Amino acid sequence: MNILDELTVYRPWNDQEARDVEELLRRLRSGEELYTRVNASAHLTASAWVVSPDRTQVLLAYHNLYHSWAWLGGHADGERDLLNVAM
């Protein structure tokens, strides 16, 4: 299933998320370039939580640019498989 199909069947959990999904759908359907950083107003990223089997620990990475800890992921940079981007 591609991202457009997944977002079409996705059930948002609140009003803000519903608006965000609609905006993503609008941009994807318009053919706007979202898979690279050439788009100054929006581009796709993907991230994931890596959690220990007992759910007592998470894996974080230190982000040198922002001087903070963050979950793992990155920019699509042309990759259309967002699961692959997250991994």
Side-chain angles (χ1 to χ4, degrees), residues 49-52 56-60:
W49 281 93
V50 179
V51 182
S52 66
T56 62
Q57 297 177 317
V58 296
L59 178 64
L60 298 174

Side-chain angles (χ1 to χ4, degrees), residues 53-79:
D54 65 0
R55 298 184 182 187
T56 62
Q57 297 177 317
V58 296
L59 178 64
L60 298 174
Y62 190 76
H63 198 295
N64 289 324
L65 184 62
Y66 298 114
H67 303 290
S68 64
W69 291 94
W71 53 88
L72 304 173
H75 297 264
D77 290 335
E79 173 66 64

